[in-house]
């Protein structure tokens, strides 16, 4: 069984994986994981700028960003 690592300022815990990937994420007590999906594809840098705005607008620190899924608009 893999131990979890807490990110208390982010409000979640995760199971480490290889390199930049984790094996999963879970909310710490009193927090919830919220999934946000853009309705249209955006360039990578613009997407991360929008993510930062969403997190800040929610009154949370950027360390609350726990995961992302990147999708390519074409093969």
């Amino acid at each position: 069984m893999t131990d979890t690592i807490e990110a208390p300022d982010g409000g979640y815990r995760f199971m480490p994986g290889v390199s930049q990937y984790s094996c999963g994420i879970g909310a710490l007590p009193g927090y919830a994981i919220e999934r946000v999906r853009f309705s249209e594809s955006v360039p990578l840098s613009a997407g991360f700028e929008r993510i930062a705005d969403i997190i800040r607008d929610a009154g949370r620190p950027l360390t609350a960003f726990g995961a992302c899924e990147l999708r390519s608009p074409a093969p």
Side-chain angles (χ1 to χ4, degrees):
M1 179 92 157
T2 302
D3 291 329
T4 61
I5 297 173
E6 289 191 3
D9 56 333
Y12 61 88
R13 65 183 172 272
F14 65 95
M15 294 184 302
V18 296
S19 187
Q20 71 271 29
Y21 302 106
S22 74
C23 296
I25 184 172
L28 291 174
Y31 293 92
I33 302 294
E34 293 189 26
R35 184 181 183 130
V36 176
R37 182 176 179 183
F38 298 149
S39 59
E40 297 177 6
S41 296
V42 295
L44 187 63
S45 60
F48 280 108
E49 288 174 14
R50 288 175 59 185
I51 290 165
D53 289 341
I54 291 167
I55 292 170
R56 285 188 196 109
D57 288 348
R60 301 286 293 134
L62 293 181
T63 52
F65 181 55
C68 70
E69 298 175 16
L70 301 176
R71 299 286 183 244
S72 176

